[in-house]
Amino acid sequence: MPANLTPEYLEAEARFKQAKSIPEKIKALEVMLAVIPKHKGTEKLRGQLKSRMAKLKEELQRKPTIGRAEQAFNIKREGAAQVVLLGLPNSGKSALFSKLTNAFSEVADYPFTTRKPIPGMMKFENLQIQLVDTPPIQLDHIEPGFPNLIRNGDALLILVDLTEDPIFQMEILLEELKGMRINIGGKGPIPSPEVGWAYKKVLLIGNKCDAKNAMEGYRAFENHFGNHFTILPISAKERMNFEELKKEVYQLLGIIRIYTKAPGKEPDLTEPVILKKGSTVEEVALSIHKDFAAKLRYAKIWGSGKFDGQMVKRDYQVNEGDVIELHI
Ligand SMILES: Nc1nc2c(ncn2[C@@H]2O[C@H](COP(=O)(O)OP(=O)(O)OP(=O)(O)O)[C@@H](O)[C@H]2O)c(=O)[nH]1
Ligand SMILES: [Mg+2]
């Protein structure tokens, strides 16, 4: 029996074929189903349209949840650097995060308290460094978006609970990071990059230093991992070693602070220019404006120069705390 499809139906079908998004496709299908002549000859076609519709609706339901979960792990970088906290459940990440930053993350004595990453700003001298609290790392289950969050960070703070076999905790963390193709290190040179792998600098933190048996755990941990990583014992609860911790985080980032000034004026020491260690005068200029770098003739330097106000060229390597006057 001929299907006798109407022009209305054929028009909707054309729209369906051209549709790019799922909602557009669903809309066109709805029209097709509404206007299709309902007789024996179209029975099979109607069945196909209905099952297509069901599949599209299911897809629509599924899509945003994956998207939303991933989006929660997309934390916009703010301040001088982004540092991601990592650890097993109950290691004290949120306790530390809440005390070091202006933000709040729930602390509780049961595991999996933190479900989504939370950003906060930590003040260190004249700098703001972003810390990101995260859900715990667990064996064989990685949330979508988590590997990217770790890869995008400038450095990692790995927390272990010193009272709960810290070596074993670290072994699990290393295993899970390996699964995400993330290589970590602390001391020593940065290894040459491998395709598909990311390398992250790490500071290891032994938490709960205030608790009984913590120092025993610390000594064993230090013996095991001390050659490859800087390890700092702290207590998030008692705020022990917080100043040291902030300094170590800054060291870990491998950044320097430079101050610029206009001729005859004083530099603004509250507004550092943040650069990678080893940067040059040219990169100082570039951080202000690309035209500035192009037109740069020379600079005067206070700090690491041979004398105050020394004239230097664009390839001069600047150092922590230098004050630079750019001349174009
Ligand atoms: N004694 C002691 N307990 C601590 C310290 N830091 C955290 N705790 C306790 O450890 C438990 C877990 O702390 P959280 O900060 O919630 O741990 P977390 O790593 O964020 O846990 P998840 O969100 O589940 O991954 C809580 O009962 C805290 O009070 C510390 O320095 N000393
Ligand atoms: Mg937490």
Short mmCIF file of all heavy atoms in Angstrom, two decimals, residues 125-149:
data_model
loop_
_atom_site.label_atom_id
_atom_site.label_comp_id
_atom_site.label_asym_id
_atom_site.label_seq_id
_atom_site.Cartn_x
_atom_site.Cartn_y
_atom_site.Cartn_z
N GLU A 125 52.18 36.87 51.26
CA GLU A 125 52.82 38.18 51.12
C GLU A 125 51.95 39.07 50.23
O GLU A 125 50.78 39.25 50.53
CB GLU A 125 54.26 38.00 50.64
CG GLU A 125 55.07 37.24 51.70
CD GLU A 125 56.49 36.90 51.27
OE1 GLU A 125 56.87 37.14 50.11
OE2 GLU A 125 57.23 36.38 52.14
N ASN A 126 52.51 39.57 49.10
CA ASN A 126 51.68 40.44 48.26
C ASN A 126 51.02 39.69 47.10
O ASN A 126 50.66 40.27 46.09
CB ASN A 126 52.50 41.62 47.73
CG ASN A 126 53.73 41.14 46.97
OD1 ASN A 126 53.94 39.94 46.84
ND2 ASN A 126 54.52 42.06 46.46
N LEU A 127 50.86 38.39 47.26
CA LEU A 127 50.30 37.56 46.18
C LEU A 127 49.01 36.87 46.61
O LEU A 127 48.82 36.58 47.78
CB LEU A 127 51.26 36.43 45.83
CG LEU A 127 52.51 36.74 45.06
CD1 LEU A 127 53.26 35.44 44.84
CD2 LEU A 127 52.16 37.37 43.72
N GLN A 128 48.18 36.57 45.63
CA GLN A 128 47.02 35.71 45.86
C GLN A 128 47.23 34.44 45.04
O GLN A 128 47.40 34.51 43.83
CB GLN A 128 45.74 36.41 45.38
CG GLN A 128 45.36 37.65 46.16
CD GLN A 128 44.73 37.35 47.52
OE1 GLN A 128 44.32 36.22 47.79
NE2 GLN A 128 44.66 38.37 48.35
N ILE A 129 47.24 33.32 45.71
CA ILE A 129 47.40 32.04 45.02
C ILE A 129 46.10 31.26 45.16
O ILE A 129 45.53 31.18 46.25
CB ILE A 129 48.59 31.24 45.61
CG1 ILE A 129 49.89 32.01 45.35
CG2 ILE A 129 48.65 29.83 45.03
CD1 ILE A 129 51.10 31.46 46.08
N GLN A 130 45.62 30.72 44.04
CA GLN A 130 44.35 29.97 44.09
C GLN A 130 44.60 28.53 44.52
O GLN A 130 45.46 27.85 43.95
CB GLN A 130 43.69 29.99 42.71
CG GLN A 130 42.31 29.37 42.70
CD GLN A 130 41.72 29.32 41.30
OE1 GLN A 130 42.40 28.95 40.34
NE2 GLN A 130 40.48 29.73 41.17
N LEU A 131 43.85 28.10 45.53
CA LEU A 131 43.87 26.67 45.90
C LEU A 131 42.54 26.06 45.46
O LEU A 131 41.51 26.73 45.51
CB LEU A 131 44.01 26.50 47.42
CG LEU A 131 45.29 26.95 48.12
CD1 LEU A 131 45.25 26.50 49.58
CD2 LEU A 131 46.52 26.39 47.44
N VAL A 132 42.57 24.80 45.07
CA VAL A 132 41.34 24.11 44.70
C VAL A 132 41.18 22.87 45.57
O VAL A 132 42.02 21.96 45.52
CB VAL A 132 41.33 23.72 43.21
CG1 VAL A 132 39.99 23.08 42.82
CG2 VAL A 132 41.61 24.93 42.31
N ASP A 133 40.13 22.86 46.41
CA ASP A 133 39.81 21.66 47.18
C ASP A 133 39.10 20.69 46.23
O ASP A 133 38.37 21.12 45.34
CB ASP A 133 38.89 22.02 48.35
CG ASP A 133 38.68 20.84 49.30
OD1 ASP A 133 39.48 19.88 49.24
OD2 ASP A 133 37.71 20.87 50.09
N THR A 134 39.33 19.40 46.40
CA THR A 134 38.75 18.43 45.46
C THR A 134 38.09 17.27 46.21
O THR A 134 38.39 17.03 47.38
CB THR A 134 39.86 17.83 44.56
OG1 THR A 134 40.83 17.19 45.41
CG2 THR A 134 40.52 18.87 43.70
N PRO A 135 37.23 16.54 45.49
CA PRO A 135 36.73 15.28 46.07
C PRO A 135 37.91 14.32 46.23
O PRO A 135 38.91 14.46 45.54
CB PRO A 135 35.76 14.76 45.01
CG PRO A 135 35.53 15.89 44.08
CD PRO A 135 36.72 16.78 44.15
N PRO A 136 37.78 13.35 47.12
CA PRO A 136 38.90 12.44 47.32
C PRO A 136 39.20 11.58 46.10
O PRO A 136 38.31 11.24 45.33
CB PRO A 136 38.43 11.56 48.48
CG PRO A 136 36.94 11.67 48.47
CD PRO A 136 36.64 13.04 47.98
N ILE A 137 40.47 11.23 45.95
CA ILE A 137 40.88 10.26 44.94
C ILE A 137 40.49 8.90 45.49
O ILE A 137 40.68 8.61 46.67
CB ILE A 137 42.41 10.30 44.74
CG1 ILE A 137 42.87 11.66 44.19
CG2 ILE A 137 42.88 9.14 43.90
CD1 ILE A 137 42.72 11.84 42.71
N GLN A 138 39.89 8.06 44.66
CA GLN A 138 39.54 6.72 45.11
C GLN A 138 40.01 5.69 44.11
O GLN A 138 40.26 6.01 42.96
CB GLN A 138 38.04 6.61 45.36
CG GLN A 138 37.21 7.16 44.22
CD GLN A 138 35.75 7.19 44.57
OE1 GLN A 138 35.22 6.23 45.09
NE2 GLN A 138 35.09 8.28 44.26
N LEU A 139 40.14 4.48 44.59
CA LEU A 139 40.65 3.41 43.75
C LEU A 139 39.72 3.14 42.57
O LEU A 139 38.52 2.94 42.75
CB LEU A 139 40.76 2.12 44.57
CG LEU A 139 42.15 1.74 45.06
CD1 LEU A 139 42.09 0.40 45.78
CD2 LEU A 139 43.15 1.69 43.92
N ASP A 140 40.28 3.14 41.37
CA ASP A 140 39.56 2.71 40.17
C ASP A 140 38.28 3.47 39.88
O ASP A 140 37.40 2.95 39.21
CB ASP A 140 39.24 1.21 40.24
CG ASP A 140 40.50 0.40 40.41
OD1 ASP A 140 41.51 0.81 39.82
OD2 ASP A 140 40.49 -0.59 41.15
N HIS A 141 38.13 4.65 40.40
CA HIS A 141 37.00 5.45 39.95
C HIS A 141 37.44 6.91 39.82
O HIS A 141 37.77 7.54 40.82
CB HIS A 141 35.81 5.36 40.89
CG HIS A 141 34.71 6.29 40.48
ND1 HIS A 141 33.83 5.99 39.47
CD2 HIS A 141 34.39 7.55 40.89
CE1 HIS A 141 33.00 7.01 39.30
NE2 HIS A 141 33.32 7.97 40.14
N ILE A 142 37.45 7.40 38.61
CA ILE A 142 37.84 8.79 38.39
C ILE A 142 36.67 9.52 37.75
O ILE A 142 36.13 9.08 36.74
CB ILE A 142 39.08 8.87 37.50
CG1 ILE A 142 40.26 8.19 38.19
CG2 ILE A 142 39.43 10.32 37.18
CD1 ILE A 142 41.34 7.78 37.25
N GLU A 143 36.27 10.61 38.37
CA GLU A 143 35.15 11.38 37.82
C GLU A 143 35.59 12.05 36.52
O GLU A 143 36.73 12.50 36.41
CB GLU A 143 34.74 12.46 38.82
CG GLU A 143 34.25 11.85 40.09
CD GLU A 143 33.07 12.63 40.64
OE1 GLU A 143 32.25 13.12 39.85
OE2 GLU A 143 32.98 12.73 41.87
N PRO A 144 34.67 12.14 35.55
CA PRO A 144 35.05 12.84 34.32
C PRO A 144 35.39 14.29 34.67
O PRO A 144 34.73 14.88 35.49
CB PRO A 144 33.79 12.76 33.46
CG PRO A 144 32.68 12.40 34.37
CD PRO A 144 33.28 11.70 35.55
N GLY A 145 36.40 14.78 34.06
CA GLY A 145 36.78 16.16 34.35
C GLY A 145 37.89 16.27 35.39
O GLY A 145 38.63 17.25 35.42
N PHE A 146 38.03 15.25 36.24
CA PHE A 146 39.06 15.31 37.28
C PHE A 146 40.48 15.34 36.69
O PHE A 146 41.30 16.18 37.07
CB PHE A 146 38.89 14.15 38.27
CG PHE A 146 39.36 14.44 39.67
CD1 PHE A 146 38.85 13.73 40.76
CD2 PHE A 146 40.32 15.41 39.92
CE1 PHE A 146 39.28 13.99 42.06
CE2 PHE A 146 40.76 15.67 41.22
CZ PHE A 146 40.24 14.95 42.29
N PRO A 147 40.77 14.43 35.72
CA PRO A 147 42.13 14.48 35.16
C PRO A 147 42.49 15.85 34.57
O PRO A 147 43.60 16.33 34.77
CB PRO A 147 42.10 13.41 34.06
CG PRO A 147 41.02 12.48 34.49
CD PRO A 147 39.99 13.31 35.17
N ASN A 148 41.52 16.48 33.91
CA ASN A 148 41.80 17.79 33.33
C ASN A 148 42.07 18.84 34.38
O ASN A 148 42.91 19.71 34.19
CB ASN A 148 40.63 18.25 32.46
CG ASN A 148 40.94 18.00 31.01
OD1 ASN A 148 42.11 17.89 30.64
ND2 ASN A 148 39.91 17.91 30.20
N LEU A 149 41.32 18.76 35.47
CA LEU A 149 41.54 19.72 36.56
C LEU A 149 42.98 19.61 37.06
O LEU A 149 43.66 20.61 37.27
CB LEU A 149 40.56 19.42 37.71
CG LEU A 149 40.76 20.23 38.99
CD1 LEU A 149 40.42 21.69 38.77
CD2 LEU A 149 39.90 19.67 40.12
#
